Amino acid sequence: MERTMSVNGSAYQFAATYDGDSQYNVQVHIGDKLITMFKVAAESEQDVFDAALARFKADVELGNVKV
């Protein structure tokens, strides 16, 4: 599953794959460059990108990810 979402005015491509036990592997790209990767828990596929976006925004705000 993939979705493009905006964070701080920049478009990022989020790609998620199911890992089992309600865990999803998420990779965040801008163009061909991998920015970060992490796991999120989600009850359904509809919740994956909301959880991934919240996690990514928090990492950016905390300085854990340089964008």
Side-chain angles (χ1 to χ4, degrees):
M1 302 179 300
E2 292 186 7
R3 183 176 295 173
T4 301
M5 295 186 282
S6 179
V7 176
N8 295 338
S10 296
Y12 294 90
Q13 184 70 30
F14 287 72
T17 56
Y18 186 66
D19 191 26
D21 295 328
S22 298
Q23 292 283 317
Y24 291 82
N25 292 316
V26 178
Q27 292 184 344
V28 182
H29 294 85
I30 192 162
D32 290 335
K33 182 180 176 187
L34 176 66
I35 303 299
T36 188
M37 49 196 290
F38 51 85
K39 290 186 181 229
V40 294
E43 293 291 323
S44 67
E45 286 186 5
Q46 295 137 324
D47 299 332
V48 172
F49 291 108
D50 290 336
L53 183 60
R55 163 72 187 268
F56 184 67
K57 283 182 176 181
D59 280 347
V60 169
E61 287 179 21
L62 293 172
N64 296 335
V65 174
K66 305 293 184 215
V67 292

XYZ file of all heavy atoms in Angstrom:
518
model
N 0.845 -1.161 0.000
C 0.000 0.000 0.000
C 0.897 1.232 0.000
O 1.903 1.247 0.691
C -0.871 0.051 1.242
C -1.772 -1.130 1.465
S -2.753 -0.974 2.979
C -1.511 -0.865 4.220
N 0.496 2.207 -0.767
C 1.260 3.444 -0.816
C 0.321 4.640 -0.795
O -0.806 4.562 -1.267
C 2.123 3.507 -2.075
C 3.238 2.500 -2.090
C 4.163 2.686 -3.271
O 4.012 3.672 -4.015
O 5.042 1.844 -3.441
N 0.839 5.729 -0.249
C 0.075 6.968 -0.213
C 1.055 8.134 -0.109
O 2.041 8.056 0.599
C -0.876 6.977 0.978
C -1.753 8.224 1.013
C -2.751 8.176 2.123
N -3.694 7.088 1.887
C -4.609 6.715 2.755
N -4.708 7.322 3.924
N -5.433 5.737 2.485
N 0.736 9.209 -0.821
C 1.515 10.433 -0.724
C 0.819 11.354 0.265
O -0.385 11.585 0.160
C 1.633 11.119 -2.099
O 2.263 10.208 -3.002
C 2.455 12.391 -2.004
N 1.589 11.854 1.243
C 1.025 12.744 2.256
C 1.972 13.919 2.455
O 3.181 13.794 2.285
C 0.806 11.993 3.567
C -0.248 10.900 3.434
S -0.663 10.096 4.980
C 0.712 8.992 5.180
N 1.406 15.049 2.847
C 2.175 16.268 3.026
C 2.527 16.479 4.505
O 1.684 16.314 5.379
C 1.361 17.462 2.525
O 2.078 18.652 2.707
N 3.784 16.829 4.736
C 4.264 17.166 6.071
C 5.094 18.442 5.942
O 6.056 18.481 5.167
C 5.124 16.033 6.678
C 5.684 16.443 8.024
C 4.318 14.751 6.791
N 4.691 19.472 6.660
C 5.387 20.761 6.621
C 5.574 21.289 5.189
O 6.615 21.833 4.848
C 6.738 20.684 7.330
C 6.587 20.408 8.803
O 5.545 20.652 9.396
N 7.629 19.878 9.413
N 4.576 21.066 4.350
C 4.600 21.583 2.992
C 5.345 20.743 1.975
O 5.407 21.106 0.813
N 5.905 19.621 2.384
C 6.602 18.727 1.453
C 5.816 17.434 1.294
O 5.230 16.936 2.256
C 8.008 18.398 1.966
O 8.796 19.557 2.028
N 5.824 16.889 0.080
C 5.105 15.642 -0.205
C 6.034 14.451 0.034
O 7.153 14.404 -0.490
C 4.608 15.636 -1.631
N 5.580 13.505 0.822
C 6.333 12.291 1.132
C 5.527 11.083 0.700
O 4.309 11.051 0.847
C 6.615 12.179 2.638
C 7.539 13.249 3.137
C 7.041 14.454 3.610
C 8.914 13.065 3.130
C 7.884 15.445 4.063
C 9.770 14.053 3.585
C 9.245 15.241 4.047
O 10.077 16.222 4.489
N 6.219 10.074 0.191
C 5.583 8.827 -0.222
C 5.718 7.829 0.924
O 6.831 7.490 1.325
C 6.236 8.279 -1.492
C 5.589 7.049 -2.036
C 4.224 7.330 -2.626
O 3.965 8.419 -3.126
N 3.338 6.365 -2.549
N 4.593 7.383 1.465
C 4.568 6.390 2.528
C 4.206 5.044 1.912
O 3.204 4.944 1.204
C 3.510 6.743 3.579
C 3.868 7.912 4.458
C 3.863 9.204 3.967
C 4.192 7.715 5.782
C 4.189 10.287 4.772
C 4.515 8.789 6.609
C 4.515 10.073 6.096
N 4.997 4.024 2.175
C 4.731 2.672 1.704
C 4.643 1.758 2.924
O 5.521 1.792 3.790
C 5.837 2.198 0.775
N 3.569 0.986 2.997
C 3.367 0.116 4.157
C 3.144 -1.322 3.708
O 2.440 -1.574 2.727
C 2.162 0.598 4.959
N 3.751 -2.255 4.437
C 3.535 -3.675 4.207
C 3.171 -4.330 5.531
O 3.697 -3.952 6.581
C 4.791 -4.363 3.623
O 5.900 -4.129 4.483
C 5.104 -3.830 2.239
N 2.285 -5.306 5.472
C 1.828 -5.990 6.677
C 2.898 -6.945 7.164
O 3.468 -7.718 6.394
C 0.534 -6.743 6.381
C -0.101 -7.357 7.594
C -0.610 -6.566 8.605
C -0.193 -8.739 7.727
C -1.197 -7.118 9.727
C -0.788 -9.303 8.845
C -1.285 -8.490 9.842
O -1.865 -9.046 10.945
N 3.180 -6.889 8.475
C 4.226 -7.710 9.070
C 3.659 -8.799 9.978
O 4.385 -9.624 10.484
C 5.177 -6.798 9.852
C 6.449 -7.501 10.283
O 6.847 -8.463 9.614
O 7.034 -7.096 11.290
N 2.359 -8.769 10.231
C 1.722 -9.738 11.117
C 1.411 -9.136 12.464
O 2.003 -8.137 12.870
N 0.453 -9.711 13.169
C 0.062 -9.248 14.500
C -0.262 -7.755 14.542
O 0.151 -7.041 15.455
C 1.144 -9.557 15.540
C 1.341 -11.044 15.742
O 0.345 -11.793 15.600
O 2.459 -11.459 16.045
N -0.971 -7.280 13.532
C -1.380 -5.870 13.433
C -0.205 -4.910 13.343
O -0.321 -3.739 13.666
C -2.285 -5.479 14.607
O -3.456 -6.244 14.598
N 0.951 -5.384 12.922
C 2.133 -4.544 12.743
C 2.370 -4.309 11.255
O 2.241 -5.226 10.444
C 3.379 -5.212 13.326
C 3.372 -5.328 14.823
C 3.685 -4.000 15.479
O 4.573 -3.284 15.064
N 2.937 -3.679 16.510
N 2.722 -3.076 10.919
C 3.024 -2.709 9.535
C 4.406 -2.076 9.472
O 4.750 -1.253 10.309
C 1.994 -1.714 8.998
C 0.625 -2.311 8.813
C -0.246 -2.446 9.882
C 0.206 -2.747 7.557
C -1.506 -2.998 9.715
C -1.058 -3.299 7.383
C -1.903 -3.417 8.465
O -3.153 -3.972 8.292
N 5.185 -2.483 8.483
C 6.474 -1.848 8.201
C 6.181 -0.658 7.304
O 5.499 -0.792 6.289
C 7.410 -2.807 7.477
C 7.854 -3.945 8.349
O 8.195 -3.748 9.505
N 7.839 -5.147 7.808
N 6.701 0.499 7.668
C 6.464 1.718 6.899
C 7.800 2.295 6.448
O 8.736 2.394 7.244
C 5.709 2.773 7.748
C 5.516 4.060 6.959
C 4.383 2.227 8.233
N 7.877 2.642 5.179
C 9.027 3.345 4.639
C 8.546 4.695 4.124
O 7.496 4.775 3.489
C 9.669 2.577 3.491
C 10.324 1.294 3.915
C 11.039 0.627 2.755
O 10.824 0.946 1.592
N 11.909 -0.315 3.082
N 9.307 5.738 4.407
C 8.965 7.084 3.962
C 10.047 7.550 2.994
O 11.232 7.541 3.338
C 8.850 8.063 5.155
C 8.454 9.449 4.660
C 7.855 7.547 6.187
N 9.622 7.930 1.789
C 10.534 8.385 0.740
C 10.166 9.787 0.295
O 9.009 10.191 0.383
C 10.429 7.487 -0.499
C 10.884 6.097 -0.289
N 10.065 5.117 0.229
C 12.075 5.500 -0.535
C 10.733 3.977 0.283
N 11.948 4.185 -0.171
N 11.159 10.487 -0.183
C 10.934 11.710 -0.937
C 11.722 11.493 -2.228
O 12.939 11.339 -2.207
C 11.337 12.986 -0.174
C 10.811 14.210 -0.892
C 12.793 13.074 0.087
C 10.775 15.464 -0.040
N 10.997 11.352 -3.318
C 11.631 10.933 -4.568
C 12.158 9.518 -4.396
O 11.454 8.635 -3.895
N 13.400 9.285 -4.781
C 14.025 7.961 -4.624
C 14.751 7.810 -3.301
O 15.276 6.754 -2.995
C 15.013 7.701 -5.765
C 14.306 7.492 -7.098
O 13.131 7.089 -7.090
O 14.938 7.746 -8.140
N 14.811 8.872 -2.506
C 15.583 8.864 -1.261
C 14.735 8.348 -0.097
O 13.661 8.868 0.190
C 16.072 10.272 -0.951
C 16.920 10.360 0.287
C 17.370 11.777 0.544
C 18.140 11.854 1.844
N 18.451 13.227 2.199
N 15.247 7.315 0.573
C 14.594 6.792 1.776
C 14.893 7.736 2.931
O 16.055 7.978 3.256
C 15.101 5.387 2.098
C 14.578 4.756 3.383
C 13.075 4.507 3.285
C 15.312 3.466 3.681
N 13.841 8.276 3.551
C 13.998 9.205 4.664
C 14.080 8.447 5.982
O 14.954 8.693 6.806
C 12.832 10.210 4.713
C 12.722 10.984 3.399
C 12.960 11.148 5.897
C 13.938 11.805 3.062
N 13.152 7.514 6.188
C 13.130 6.739 7.422
C 12.265 5.500 7.226
O 11.508 5.398 6.264
C 12.596 7.579 8.604
O 12.764 6.847 9.824
C 11.140 7.946 8.436
N 12.392 4.581 8.156
C 11.514 3.413 8.196
C 11.232 3.056 9.650
O 12.071 3.284 10.518
C 12.092 2.237 7.416
C 13.505 1.892 7.705
S 14.266 0.817 6.471
C 13.432 -0.697 6.733
N 10.024 2.552 9.890
C 9.606 2.217 11.242
C 8.406 1.283 11.177
O 7.894 1.008 10.093
C 9.257 3.492 12.033
C 8.305 4.420 11.327
C 6.937 4.239 11.402
C 8.787 5.484 10.579
C 6.066 5.088 10.744
C 7.927 6.346 9.925
C 6.553 6.139 10.007
N 7.985 0.794 12.330
C 6.798 -0.060 12.426
C 5.705 0.697 13.150
O 5.988 1.490 14.048
C 7.105 -1.341 13.195
C 8.002 -2.277 12.459
C 8.150 -3.576 13.225
C 9.075 -4.489 12.461
N 8.544 -5.809 12.314
N 4.463 0.451 12.738
C 3.311 0.999 13.441
C 2.305 -0.118 13.658
O 2.238 -1.074 12.887
C 2.630 2.163 12.676
C 3.545 3.359 12.578
C 2.150 1.745 11.316
N 1.538 0.022 14.712
C 0.445 -0.902 14.976
C -0.842 -0.261 14.476
O -1.046 0.937 14.632
C 0.337 -1.182 16.466
N -1.690 -1.066 13.851
C -2.962 -0.555 13.347
C -3.989 -1.680 13.362
O -3.658 -2.828 13.074
C -2.798 -0.005 11.941
N -5.196 -1.328 13.712
C -6.285 -2.301 13.755
C -6.714 -2.731 12.361
O -7.133 -3.853 12.153
C -7.486 -1.714 14.497
C -7.225 -1.488 15.969
C -7.087 -2.780 16.743
O -7.812 -3.747 16.434
O -6.227 -2.826 17.634
N -6.626 -1.805 11.390
C -7.037 -2.107 10.023
C -6.157 -1.340 9.052
O -5.417 -0.433 9.450
C -8.505 -1.717 9.811
O -8.645 -0.317 9.876
N -6.268 -1.691 7.776
C -5.481 -1.006 6.756
C -5.824 0.477 6.694
O -4.977 1.290 6.379
C -5.708 -1.650 5.391
C -5.030 -2.986 5.240
C -5.152 -3.550 3.834
O -5.685 -2.864 2.937
O -4.716 -4.692 3.644
N -7.049 0.829 7.005
C -7.462 2.232 6.969
C -6.735 3.055 8.020
O -6.538 4.255 7.848
C -8.974 2.359 7.185
C -9.766 1.720 6.058
C -10.935 0.921 6.573
O -10.853 0.292 7.623
N -12.023 0.922 5.846
N -6.328 2.441 9.108
C -5.659 3.146 10.202
C -4.148 3.268 10.024
O -3.502 4.037 10.730
C -5.926 2.429 11.534
C -7.396 2.386 11.891
O -8.134 3.293 11.463
O -7.796 1.447 12.599
N -3.577 2.517 9.100
C -2.121 2.464 8.947
C -1.540 3.834 8.644
O -0.592 4.279 9.299
C -1.717 1.475 7.831
C -0.228 1.562 7.544
C -2.100 0.067 8.218
N -2.094 4.528 7.668
C -1.491 5.787 7.247
C -1.711 6.903 8.254
O -0.863 7.781 8.396
C -1.958 6.167 5.848
C -1.391 5.239 4.798
C -2.196 4.319 4.161
C -0.047 5.259 4.490
C -1.675 3.451 3.219
C 0.498 4.398 3.548
C -0.323 3.477 2.908
N -2.820 6.867 8.987
C -3.010 7.844 10.066
C -1.944 7.657 11.138
O -1.337 8.619 11.613
C -4.405 7.711 10.690
C -5.509 8.166 9.753
O -5.233 8.983 8.839
O -6.651 7.716 9.951
N -1.697 6.401 11.505
C -0.685 6.103 12.518
C 0.715 6.445 12.006
O 1.541 7.001 12.734
C -0.757 4.628 12.918
N 0.986 6.131 10.746
C 2.299 6.409 10.167
C 2.546 7.914 10.073
O 3.645 8.382 10.383
C 2.419 5.769 8.784
N 1.532 8.661 9.677
C 1.682 10.110 9.570
C 1.926 10.735 10.937
O 2.805 11.585 11.094
C 0.446 10.729 8.915
C 0.492 12.233 8.666
C 1.654 12.604 7.754
C -0.828 12.702 8.081
N 1.193 10.288 11.936
C 1.387 10.811 13.294
C 2.794 10.499 13.796
O 3.460 11.362 14.382
C 0.342 10.220 14.236
N 3.259 9.300 13.560
C 4.609 8.902 13.994
C 5.668 9.740 13.279
O 6.619 10.238 13.891
C 4.803 7.409 13.730
C 6.218 6.896 13.730
C 6.837 6.860 15.121
N 8.230 6.533 15.060
C 8.735 5.304 15.141
N 7.946 4.277 15.304
N 10.023 5.112 15.078
N 5.526 9.903 11.966
C 6.507 10.652 11.191
C 6.536 12.118 11.620
O 7.609 12.692 11.807
C 6.200 10.529 9.705
C 7.210 11.198 8.826
C 8.510 10.733 8.741
C 6.866 12.307 8.065
C 9.453 11.355 7.929
C 7.791 12.931 7.255
C 9.082 12.455 7.183
N 5.366 12.729 11.809
C 5.314 14.121 12.255
C 5.987 14.290 13.613
O 6.718 15.254 13.839
C 3.866 14.613 12.333
C 3.269 14.945 11.002
C 1.858 15.469 11.177
C 1.251 15.917 9.878
N -0.117 16.439 10.061
N 5.755 13.336 14.521
C 6.376 13.400 15.847
C 7.896 13.282 15.726
O 8.635 14.028 16.387
C 5.831 12.301 16.736
N 8.377 12.373 14.882
C 9.823 12.220 14.688
C 10.447 13.491 14.117
O 11.537 13.885 14.515
C 10.120 11.037 13.758
C 10.040 9.694 14.470
O 9.998 9.676 15.726
O 10.019 8.668 13.771
N 9.737 14.141 13.190
C 10.241 15.385 12.601
C 10.293 16.469 13.674
O 11.306 17.170 13.824
C 9.372 15.827 11.420
C 9.722 17.244 10.971
C 9.531 14.851 10.247
N 9.226 16.611 14.459
C 9.180 17.645 15.488
C 10.234 17.442 16.568
O 10.798 18.393 17.088
C 7.794 17.687 16.129
C 6.737 18.294 15.223
C 5.361 18.317 15.863
O 5.257 18.253 17.103
O 4.394 18.396 15.099
N 10.513 16.187 16.903
C 11.518 15.880 17.918
C 12.937 15.930 17.379
O 13.900 15.824 18.138
C 11.252 14.497 18.519
C 9.978 14.371 19.348
C 9.714 12.920 19.722
C 10.082 15.227 20.601
N 13.084 16.083 16.078
C 14.416 16.133 15.481
C 15.012 14.772 15.215
O 16.203 14.672 14.906
N 14.218 13.714 15.335
C 14.721 12.364 15.075
C 14.895 12.085 13.593
O 15.623 11.170 13.207
C 13.782 11.318 15.679
C 13.725 11.418 17.181
O 14.658 11.892 17.830
N 12.623 10.981 17.765
N 14.193 12.858 12.767
C 14.289 12.718 11.319
C 14.606 14.085 10.740
O 13.915 15.057 11.044
C 12.960 12.193 10.715
C 13.011 12.185 9.214
C 12.634 10.818 11.253
N 15.627 14.158 9.942
C 15.996 15.408 9.285
C 15.358 15.437 7.902
O 15.579 14.537 7.106
C 17.517 15.530 9.137
C 18.263 15.396 10.436
C 17.980 16.546 11.375
C 18.815 16.414 12.622
N 18.169 16.871 13.811
N 14.558 16.451 7.653
C 13.891 16.568 6.355
C 14.281 17.850 5.664
O 14.842 18.724 6.237
C 12.359 16.486 6.472
C 11.947 15.112 6.893
C 11.827 17.539 7.419
